[in-house]
Amino acid sequence: MKILVCISNVPDTTSKINFTDGNTKFDSNGVQFVINPNDEFGLTRAMWFKEKQGATVHVATVGGPTTEPTIRKALAIGADEAIRVNAEPLDGYFVAEQLAAVVKNGAYDLVIAGRESIDYNGGMVPGILATLLGMNFINTCISLEIEGETATAVREIDGGKEKLTTSLPLVIGGQKGLVAESDLRIPNMRGIMMARQKKLNVVEPVGTEITTEDVAFDKPAPKGSIKLVAADNLDELINLLHNEAKVI
Amino acid sequence: MSVLVYTESENGKFKKNATEVASFAHEVARQMDTTATAVSINANDSGNMGDYGISKVLNVTDEKLKTFNAQAYAHVLKQAAEKEGAKVIIVSSSTDTKFLAPILTALLKGGYVPNVVAAPDSISPFKVKRTVFSNKGFAHTELKSDIKVIGVSNNAFGSVENKTTATVESFSPSLDGNIFGTTSVSIDKVVGKATIADADIVVSGGRGLKGPENWGMIEELAEVLGAATACSKPVSDLGWRPHGEHVGQTGKPVASNLYIAIGISGAIQHLAGVSASKVKVVINSDPEAPFFKAADYGVVGDAFEVVPTLIEKLKKFKTQNA
């Protein structure tokens, strides 16, 4: 089985978010970039397939040279080869089209992407990618088993979960649950050394027009201070929620 | 060239978000000087959408669509958009719709902007405001494509009554070919309980609850308030509660009217997941807990003393205000 894991290079979850150039661009100054958490769960599941069932695992990202430390980390975790599409990820559709070209060239059986990236939260790349390729697709995937050409997956739904079957080739939008948080891997020294020897292919983007453009950014208004209620005066809390906030 | 809106239903009844997206579609149609058409799949009460400004409903009744199937539903909506000549399609932010919307977008070769929190800034050019960076910022996004798919955030626009009469028309899309890419084997869903996605109020517990055996008071408080229950990441990691209740950056987002956090310190990833909630209440014994900086109302106290008292007082309040 040949697996492609799509990796998004995102600001660390604790990053302070600021905008620059008259609030038209994200300010990456001093921001630490990491593998998108939802992608990391997918990468770890791909490593499980590699080790337990035999699979080749490639990783791909769309981004400039500054994204290379992030995909090198994926190689250090155990991916066999990496592809970087040399383009700024302009919008979700653009990213999906670039990844679709990578998948076509690589003839992958399974494509794992995170259900969404934690920066722009679009959640559209796996679904658009699958549709452009005519591949089956399961989103919010929290469990995935593969037997021959048949995949059995569980996806999260509002208020519960759904078990599904489908066939390869398949794209999934994955998240926590594909593996447990405790299964995530930290690259060891041997992995880091080996990653230096692995292939990191840089490919040029396919020409596409963008469908959306972020023309300005702003931040939520600063929050007012909290109203504290004494633990022995809960009638006051109920009063505030009923009469002031009007939520009960 | 009407605005098309997908109004979700379950077991024949519209979901809570259906009236919200219908209201949003009406507003977009008003700005574009056109009408709003809804697509409903296996819903029994389609005419009710007229209350929210929908002038036509394309009513799809088909046994093959009884269980949600993202690829098949996306094909239904594509055909409805083509029939109506719709260039703007409005959808919700439910888990199912976030599954189908990218498929629909690719089928129509359009642009998709999810997590939209307000009526369009302008319609020429078409600009919308959406949340980014896990609610730590907003982007004003211009849709440059001919076809535009807009995903409305839960609880952001609200349901607005605009009474009109909706004509209900049967619509029978072609369901031939290989459009059912997946097969549903089983659905495991809690019946009769509010879900995090739909609930107006969410009661959430953290590690301060000390163990799953103490979850009874979270559930009792939720029951009194008609709320859904949720939890912090450590609680789901410890296996006290299922992952489906985990709220936060890698868990579920919450956009309720009221979010009550009990025994949750308020890690940045948790706060990102709840920041779209309108009113936040924190109950924690540690006055230094970060959640006190993010909440609107707070009680510094032992959850095991505060929560049972709050339950009793709320029961009394409910009786008096029934």
Side-chain angles (χ1 to χ4, degrees):
Chain A
M1 183 164 60
K2 204 171 166 192
I3 304 173
L4 181 73
V5 181
C6 305
I7 302 283
S8 191
N9 180 54
V10 298
D12 176 72
T13 50
T14 57
S15 301
K16 291 242 185 306
I17 300 301
N18 289 304
F19 304 105
T20 183
D21 286 12
N23 283 338
T24 58
K25 286 190 175 61
F26 171 66
D27 184 359
S28 58
N29 253 334
V31 172
Q32 168 89 24
F33 282 83
V34 296
I35 299 175
N36 179 45
N38 288 314
D39 303 345
E40 205 174 348
F41 290 113
L43 175 64
T44 310
R45 187 64 189 166
M47 298 317 302
W48 185 93
F49 283 121
K50 179 181 170 176
E51 288 156 13
K52 304 285 184 194
Q53 295 186 196
T56 305
V57 178
H58 291 181
V59 292
T61 196
V62 179
T66 55
T67 63
E68 289 197 359
T70 300
I71 35 177
R72 285 274 177 216
K73 185 184 171 192
L75 290 172
I77 285 170
D80 300 297
E81 212 171 299
I83 300 126
R84 176 171 70 81
V85 180
N86 188 26
E88 288 307 313
L90 299 172
D91 75 352
Y93 207 115
F94 175 84
V95 171
E97 286 190 311
Q98 304 312 319
L99 293 171
V102 170
V103 176
K104 270 184 201 158
N105 287 336
Y108 296 96
D109 306 294
L110 174 65
V111 180
I112 303 178
R115 73 151 198 240
E116 70 172 29
S117 63
I118 60 162
D119 50 4
Y120 291 90
N121 309 108
M124 68 186 81
V125 169
I128 294 175
L129 172 63
T131 310
L132 291 175
L133 293 165
M135 288 165 74
N136 293 322
F137 171 48
I138 296 173
N139 205 19
T140 57
C141 199
I142 53 172
S143 160
L144 178 67
E145 304 289 341
I146 303 216
E147 194 76 49
E149 293 298 300
T150 305
T152 305
V154 178
R155 76 170 180 111
E156 198 165 279
I157 58 175
D158 289 336
K161 48 195 178 181
E162 180 183 25
K163 188 175 180 182
L164 301 150
T165 58
T166 189
S167 58
L168 301 183
L170 170 68
V171 177
I172 65 155
Q175 60 180 57
K176 182 180 164 189
L178 274 178
V179 297
E181 186 105 3
S182 54
D183 293 332
L184 296 178
R185 298 166 185 204
I186 297 164
N188 56 25
M189 190 48 74
R190 186 167 173 269
I192 294 167
M193 297 305 283
M194 283 176 72
R196 290 184 185 168
Q197 314 299 322
K198 290 178 180 174
K199 257 169 92 178
L200 197 163
N201 305 296
V202 179
V203 299
E204 291 307 312
V206 292
T208 52
E209 288 176 19
I210 59 159
T211 56
T212 64
E213 181 184 3
D214 294 325
V215 291
F217 294 95
D218 52 50
K219 294 211 281 188
K223 228 195 69 54
S225 57
I226 189 170
K227 279 192 182 170
L228 287 176
V229 175
D232 58 0
N233 189 17
L234 295 174
D235 287 322
E236 176 59 7
L237 179 65
I238 293 168
N239 174 43
L240 288 167
L241 294 176
H242 182 61
N243 293 313
E244 187 176 83
K246 299 187 189 311
V247 286
I248 61 169
Chain B
M1 197 183 72
S2 61
V3 170
L4 199 75
V5 56
Y6 169 45
T7 46
E8 277 173 272
S9 60
E10 190 170 50
N11 300 324
K13 287 194 165 163
F14 283 115
K15 286 189 183 176
K16 186 188 161 220
N17 64 39
T19 53
E20 192 168 4
V21 289
S23 307
F24 190 95
H26 168 77
E27 172 57 21
V28 175
R30 189 193 64 74
Q31 287 192 25
M32 293 176 68
D33 199 18
T34 184
T35 54
T37 297
V39 180
S40 77
I41 300 175
N42 293 330
N44 300 329
D45 47 357
S46 298
N48 294 352
M49 280 297 138
D51 292 348
Y52 299 90
I54 299 296
S55 47
K56 182 159 94 176
V57 181
L58 296 179
N59 209 23
V60 181
T61 309
D62 196 310
E63 192 63 22
K64 290 200 282 295
L65 300 172
K66 197 175 165 195
T67 304
F68 173 80
N69 181 295
Q71 280 155 301
Y73 275 44
H75 276 274
V76 170
L77 292 173
K78 173 184 181 267
Q79 291 173 47
E82 287 167 348
K83 173 181 154 47
E84 293 295 301
K87 303 284 189 190
V88 178
I89 299 144
I90 311 295
V91 297
S92 79
S93 293
S94 72
T95 302
D96 283 354
T97 303
K98 282 194 159 178
F99 188 177
L100 79 81
I103 303 172
L104 174 66
T105 302
L107 290 174
L108 292 169
K109 300 191 190 321
Y112 171 42
V113 181
N115 309 320
V116 170
V117 292
D121 294 348
S122 69
I123 53 159
S124 184
F126 203 102
K127 272 199 290 187
V128 287
K129 182 180 180 180
R130 64 175 174 131
T131 59
V132 287
F133 296 102
S134 305
N135 296 313
K136 286 189 266 186
F138 297 107
H140 295 265
T141 306
E142 184 176 328
L143 285 115
K144 294 171 175 291
S145 52
D146 185 36
I147 303 283
K148 300 162 179 67
V149 181
I150 309 292
V152 183
S153 277
N154 287 346
N155 223 7
F157 187 77
S159 294
V160 184
E161 288 204 9
N162 282 288
K163 282 195 186 291
T164 186
T165 305
T167 58
V168 180
E169 190 180 296
S170 271
F171 178 52
S172 304
S174 161
L175 299 174
D176 300 333
N178 188 26
I179 62 166
F180 292 85
T182 59
T183 305
S184 180
V185 177
S186 59
I187 292 175
D188 177 9
K189 195 169 173 173
V190 180
V191 180
K193 237 182 110 179
T195 66
I196 294 171
D198 286 337
D200 286 327
I201 303 176
V202 174
V203 177
S204 192
R207 222 171 356 189
L209 270 294
K210 294 185 177 155
E213 67 279 6
N214 297 321
W215 227 255
M217 67 181 187
I218 297 289
E219 279 165 351
E220 194 178 352
L221 179 58
E223 197 182 325
V224 175
L225 290 165
T229 56
C231 69
S232 65
K233 180 172 164 295
V235 163
S236 79
D237 285 349
L238 288 163
W240 297 357
R241 303 298 300 167
H243 171 61
E245 288 190 13
H246 159 200
V247 163
Q249 202 156 35
T250 52
K252 282 216 179 305
V254 174
S256 56
N257 285 329
L258 172 61
Y259 182 78
I260 304 178
I262 300 164
I264 298 174
S265 61
I268 195 163
Q269 293 89 343
H270 186 86
L271 297 178
V274 302
S275 60
S277 287
K278 292 198 169 73
V279 176
K280 295 180 265 295
V281 175
V282 58
I283 298 169
N284 201 305
S285 56
D286 175 10
E288 300 300 321
F291 218 133
F292 282 104
K293 289 198 173 75
D296 301 279
Y297 303 103
V299 180
V300 179
D302 181 350
F304 295 98
E305 290 169 16
V306 173
V307 176
T309 311
L310 185 61
I311 291 168
E312 289 316 309
K313 288 188 179 292
L314 278 166
K315 279 181 181 167
K316 203 170 142 196
F317 168 80
K318 290 276 171 188
T319 312
Q320 284 166 353
N321 288 274

mmCIF file of all heavy atoms in Angstrom, chain B residues 193-220:
data_model
loop_
_atom_site.group_PDB
_atom_site.id
_atom_site.type_symbol
_atom_site.label_atom_id
_atom_site.label_comp_id
_atom_site.label_asym_id
_atom_site.label_seq_id
_atom_site.Cartn_x
_atom_site.Cartn_y
_atom_site.Cartn_z
ATOM 1 N N LYS B 193 -30.836 13.554 23.762
ATOM 2 C CA LYS B 193 -29.971 14.447 24.546
ATOM 3 C C LYS B 193 -29.448 15.533 23.630
ATOM 4 O O LYS B 193 -29.166 15.277 22.464
ATOM 5 C CB LYS B 193 -28.783 13.647 25.095
ATOM 6 C CG LYS B 193 -28.634 13.691 26.604
ATOM 7 C CD LYS B 193 -27.425 12.914 27.037
ATOM 8 C CE LYS B 193 -26.351 13.860 27.547
ATOM 9 N NZ LYS B 193 -25.153 13.159 27.995
ATOM 10 N N ALA B 194 -29.330 16.753 24.158
ATOM 11 C CA ALA B 194 -28.800 17.839 23.331
ATOM 12 C C ALA B 194 -27.363 17.523 22.927
ATOM 13 O O ALA B 194 -26.599 16.986 23.726
ATOM 14 C CB ALA B 194 -28.834 19.140 24.125
ATOM 15 N N THR B 195 -26.999 17.829 21.666
ATOM 16 C CA THR B 195 -25.622 17.629 21.239
ATOM 17 C C THR B 195 -24.854 18.941 21.390
ATOM 18 O O THR B 195 -25.455 20.022 21.388
ATOM 19 C CB THR B 195 -25.533 17.188 19.763
ATOM 20 O OG1 THR B 195 -25.994 18.264 18.946
ATOM 21 C CG2 THR B 195 -26.370 15.950 19.499
ATOM 22 N N ILE B 196 -23.539 18.828 21.477
ATOM 23 C CA ILE B 196 -22.700 20.028 21.642
ATOM 24 C C ILE B 196 -22.943 20.992 20.482
ATOM 25 O O ILE B 196 -22.967 22.205 20.658
ATOM 26 C CB ILE B 196 -21.211 19.632 21.727
ATOM 27 C CG1 ILE B 196 -20.955 18.826 23.000
ATOM 28 C CG2 ILE B 196 -20.308 20.855 21.710
ATOM 29 C CD1 ILE B 196 -19.580 18.197 23.095
ATOM 30 N N ALA B 197 -23.133 20.437 19.284
ATOM 31 C CA ALA B 197 -23.298 21.283 18.098
ATOM 32 C C ALA B 197 -24.606 22.081 18.141
ATOM 33 O O ALA B 197 -24.657 23.208 17.664
ATOM 34 C CB ALA B 197 -23.266 20.416 16.846
ATOM 35 N N ASP B 198 -25.658 21.500 18.691
ATOM 36 C CA ASP B 198 -26.978 22.137 18.639
ATOM 37 C C ASP B 198 -27.367 22.880 19.922
ATOM 38 O O ASP B 198 -28.276 23.705 19.900
ATOM 39 C CB ASP B 198 -28.066 21.074 18.387
ATOM 40 C CG ASP B 198 -28.039 20.596 16.950
ATOM 41 O OD1 ASP B 198 -27.525 21.343 16.101
ATOM 42 O OD2 ASP B 198 -28.504 19.474 16.689
ATOM 43 N N ALA B 199 -26.690 22.570 21.018
ATOM 44 C CA ALA B 199 -27.174 23.051 22.321
ATOM 45 C C ALA B 199 -26.977 24.553 22.498
ATOM 46 O O ALA B 199 -25.970 25.114 22.086
ATOM 47 C CB ALA B 199 -26.441 22.309 23.429
ATOM 48 N N ASP B 200 -27.970 25.187 23.139
ATOM 49 C CA ASP B 200 -27.828 26.592 23.505
ATOM 50 C C ASP B 200 -26.907 26.740 24.708
ATOM 51 O O ASP B 200 -26.284 27.773 24.918
ATOM 52 C CB ASP B 200 -29.207 27.177 23.876
ATOM 53 C CG ASP B 200 -30.050 27.393 22.640
ATOM 54 O OD1 ASP B 200 -29.464 27.706 21.587
ATOM 55 O OD2 ASP B 200 -31.275 27.220 22.723
ATOM 56 N N ILE B 201 -26.914 25.700 25.551
ATOM 57 C CA ILE B 201 -26.088 25.727 26.769
ATOM 58 C C ILE B 201 -25.233 24.458 26.801
ATOM 59 O O ILE B 201 -25.722 23.368 26.490
ATOM 60 C CB ILE B 201 -26.973 25.802 28.041
ATOM 61 C CG1 ILE B 201 -27.893 27.036 27.973
ATOM 62 C CG2 ILE B 201 -26.125 25.822 29.304
ATOM 63 C CD1 ILE B 201 -28.880 27.158 29.126
ATOM 64 N N VAL B 202 -23.969 24.613 27.149
ATOM 65 C CA VAL B 202 -23.074 23.461 27.288
ATOM 66 C C VAL B 202 -22.452 23.505 28.682
ATOM 67 O O VAL B 202 -21.935 24.537 29.109
ATOM 68 C CB VAL B 202 -21.967 23.468 26.206
ATOM 69 C CG1 VAL B 202 -20.954 22.355 26.453
ATOM 70 C CG2 VAL B 202 -22.577 23.329 24.808
ATOM 71 N N VAL B 203 -22.546 22.381 29.394
ATOM 72 C CA VAL B 203 -21.921 22.250 30.718
ATOM 73 C C VAL B 203 -20.731 21.320 30.558
ATOM 74 O O VAL B 203 -20.869 20.200 30.083
ATOM 75 C CB VAL B 203 -22.907 21.669 31.751
ATOM 76 C CG1 VAL B 203 -22.211 21.473 33.096
ATOM 77 C CG2 VAL B 203 -24.120 22.571 31.906
ATOM 78 N N SER B 204 -19.557 21.809 30.947
ATOM 79 C CA SER B 204 -18.332 21.076 30.651
ATOM 80 C C SER B 204 -17.525 20.848 31.919
ATOM 81 O O SER B 204 -17.429 21.732 32.769
ATOM 82 C CB SER B 204 -17.534 21.918 29.645
ATOM 83 O OG SER B 204 -16.485 21.195 29.103
ATOM 84 N N GLY B 205 -16.938 19.675 32.028
ATOM 85 C CA GLY B 205 -16.157 19.334 33.223
ATOM 86 C C GLY B 205 -14.707 19.065 32.888
ATOM 87 O O GLY B 205 -14.383 18.611 31.790
ATOM 88 N N GLY B 206 -13.829 19.332 33.847
ATOM 89 C CA GLY B 206 -12.401 19.099 33.651
ATOM 90 C C GLY B 206 -11.832 18.185 34.706
ATOM 91 O O GLY B 206 -12.568 17.513 35.443
ATOM 92 N N ARG B 207 -10.497 18.197 34.779
ATOM 93 C CA ARG B 207 -9.813 17.289 35.704
ATOM 94 C C ARG B 207 -10.154 17.588 37.169
ATOM 95 O O ARG B 207 -9.982 16.746 38.033
ATOM 96 C CB ARG B 207 -8.305 17.401 35.475
ATOM 97 C CG ARG B 207 -7.657 16.060 35.508
ATOM 98 C CD ARG B 207 -6.222 16.040 35.088
ATOM 99 N NE ARG B 207 -5.685 17.310 34.617
ATOM 100 C CZ ARG B 207 -4.495 17.426 34.045
ATOM 101 N NH1 ARG B 207 -3.765 16.353 33.885
ATOM 102 N NH2 ARG B 207 -4.028 18.597 33.650
ATOM 103 N N GLY B 208 -10.640 18.809 37.409
ATOM 104 C CA GLY B 208 -11.049 19.160 38.765
ATOM 105 C C GLY B 208 -12.175 18.296 39.293
ATOM 106 O O GLY B 208 -12.461 18.298 40.497
ATOM 107 N N LEU B 209 -12.811 17.532 38.394
ATOM 108 C CA LEU B 209 -13.898 16.634 38.836
ATOM 109 C C LEU B 209 -13.347 15.368 39.497
ATOM 110 O O LEU B 209 -14.086 14.584 40.067
ATOM 111 C CB LEU B 209 -14.793 16.258 37.645
ATOM 112 C CG LEU B 209 -16.001 17.157 37.346
ATOM 113 C CD1 LEU B 209 -17.024 17.078 38.465
ATOM 114 C CD2 LEU B 209 -15.611 18.616 37.157
ATOM 115 N N LYS B 210 -12.063 15.156 39.329
ATOM 116 C CA LYS B 210 -11.295 14.096 40.019
ATOM 117 C C LYS B 210 -11.543 12.684 39.536
ATOM 118 O O LYS B 210 -10.763 11.784 39.833
ATOM 119 C CB LYS B 210 -11.486 14.174 41.536
ATOM 120 C CG LYS B 210 -10.890 15.448 42.095
ATOM 121 C CD LYS B 210 -10.950 15.520 43.598
ATOM 122 C CE LYS B 210 -10.257 16.814 44.046
ATOM 123 N NZ LYS B 210 -10.721 17.272 45.327
ATOM 124 N N GLY B 211 -12.602 12.431 38.831
ATOM 125 C CA GLY B 211 -12.821 11.067 38.331
ATOM 126 C C GLY B 211 -14.158 10.942 37.642
ATOM 127 O O GLY B 211 -15.060 11.759 37.864
ATOM 128 N N PRO B 212 -14.294 9.912 36.772
ATOM 129 C CA PRO B 212 -15.553 9.766 36.015
ATOM 130 C C PRO B 212 -16.751 9.489 36.916
ATOM 131 O O PRO B 212 -17.893 9.763 36.555
ATOM 132 C CB PRO B 212 -15.260 8.576 35.091
ATOM 133 C CG PRO B 212 -14.114 7.855 35.709
ATOM 134 C CD PRO B 212 -13.320 8.860 36.467
ATOM 135 N N GLU B 213 -16.464 8.960 38.127
ATOM 136 C CA GLU B 213 -17.568 8.649 39.039
ATOM 137 C C GLU B 213 -18.285 9.910 39.524
ATOM 138 O O GLU B 213 -19.386 9.838 40.054
ATOM 139 C CB GLU B 213 -17.054 7.817 40.244
ATOM 140 C CG GLU B 213 -16.110 8.531 41.203
ATOM 141 C CD GLU B 213 -14.655 8.583 40.712
ATOM 142 O OE1 GLU B 213 -14.392 8.169 39.569
ATOM 143 O OE2 GLU B 213 -13.807 9.061 41.475
ATOM 144 N N ASN B 214 -17.637 11.070 39.320
ATOM 145 C CA ASN B 214 -18.261 12.319 39.780
ATOM 146 C C ASN B 214 -19.017 13.045 38.674
ATOM 147 O O ASN B 214 -19.420 14.197 38.858
ATOM 148 C CB ASN B 214 -17.183 13.239 40.369
ATOM 149 C CG ASN B 214 -16.538 12.628 41.591
ATOM 150 O OD1 ASN B 214 -17.224 12.003 42.407
ATOM 151 N ND2 ASN B 214 -15.225 12.757 41.701
ATOM 152 N N TRP B 215 -19.172 12.368 37.513
ATOM 153 C CA TRP B 215 -19.788 13.050 36.378
ATOM 154 C C TRP B 215 -21.293 13.254 36.528
ATOM 155 O O TRP B 215 -21.920 14.024 35.814
ATOM 156 C CB TRP B 215 -19.484 12.300 35.064
ATOM 157 C CG TRP B 215 -19.038 13.268 34.028
ATOM 158 C CD1 TRP B 215 -19.763 13.723 32.976
ATOM 159 C CD2 TRP B 215 -17.797 13.958 33.967
ATOM 160 N NE1 TRP B 215 -19.041 14.659 32.264
ATOM 161 C CE2 TRP B 215 -17.825 14.810 32.859
ATOM 162 C CE3 TRP B 215 -16.648 13.954 34.762
ATOM 163 C CZ2 TRP B 215 -16.769 15.645 32.518
ATOM 164 C CZ3 TRP B 215 -15.592 14.766 34.409
ATOM 165 C CH2 TRP B 215 -15.661 15.593 33.303
ATOM 166 N N GLY B 216 -21.846 12.557 37.492
ATOM 167 C CA GLY B 216 -23.290 12.651 37.716
ATOM 168 C C GLY B 216 -23.752 14.087 37.918
ATOM 169 O O GLY B 216 -24.794 14.503 37.408
ATOM 170 N N MET B 217 -22.956 14.880 38.643
ATOM 171 C CA MET B 217 -23.422 16.251 38.919
ATOM 172 C C MET B 217 -23.324 17.138 37.673
ATOM 173 O O MET B 217 -24.089 18.081 37.525
ATOM 174 C CB MET B 217 -22.690 16.870 40.117
ATOM 175 C CG MET B 217 -21.239 17.138 39.951
ATOM 176 S SD MET B 217 -20.621 17.828 41.517
ATOM 177 C CE MET B 217 -18.956 18.270 41.046
ATOM 178 N N ILE B 218 -22.371 16.812 36.772
ATOM 179 C CA ILE B 218 -22.296 17.552 35.499
ATOM 180 C C ILE B 218 -23.561 17.251 34.685
ATOM 181 O O ILE B 218 -24.199 18.149 34.142
ATOM 182 C CB ILE B 218 -21.031 17.121 34.707
ATOM 183 C CG1 ILE B 218 -19.762 17.472 35.479
ATOM 184 C CG2 ILE B 218 -21.012 17.720 33.300
ATOM 185 C CD1 ILE B 218 -19.433 18.932 35.557
ATOM 186 N N GLU B 219 -23.911 15.953 34.663
ATOM 187 C CA GLU B 219 -25.097 15.563 33.888
ATOM 188 C C GLU B 219 -26.376 16.121 34.497
ATOM 189 O O GLU B 219 -27.294 16.523 33.781
ATOM 190 C CB GLU B 219 -25.151 14.039 33.778
ATOM 191 C CG GLU B 219 -24.227 13.588 32.671
ATOM 192 C CD GLU B 219 -23.901 12.115 32.659
ATOM 193 O OE1 GLU B 219 -24.258 11.409 33.629
ATOM 194 O OE2 GLU B 219 -23.260 11.684 31.693
ATOM 195 N N GLU B 220 -26.419 16.169 35.820
ATOM 196 C CA GLU B 220 -27.627 16.693 36.482
ATOM 197 C C GLU B 220 -27.777 18.194 36.217
ATOM 198 O O GLU B 220 -28.881 18.672 35.920
ATOM 199 C CB GLU B 220 -27.573 16.413 37.989
ATOM 200 C CG GLU B 220 -28.929 16.628 38.639
ATOM 201 C CD GLU B 220 -28.937 16.320 40.126
ATOM 202 O OE1 GLU B 220 -27.929 15.795 40.647
ATOM 203 O OE2 GLU B 220 -29.972 16.633 40.762
#
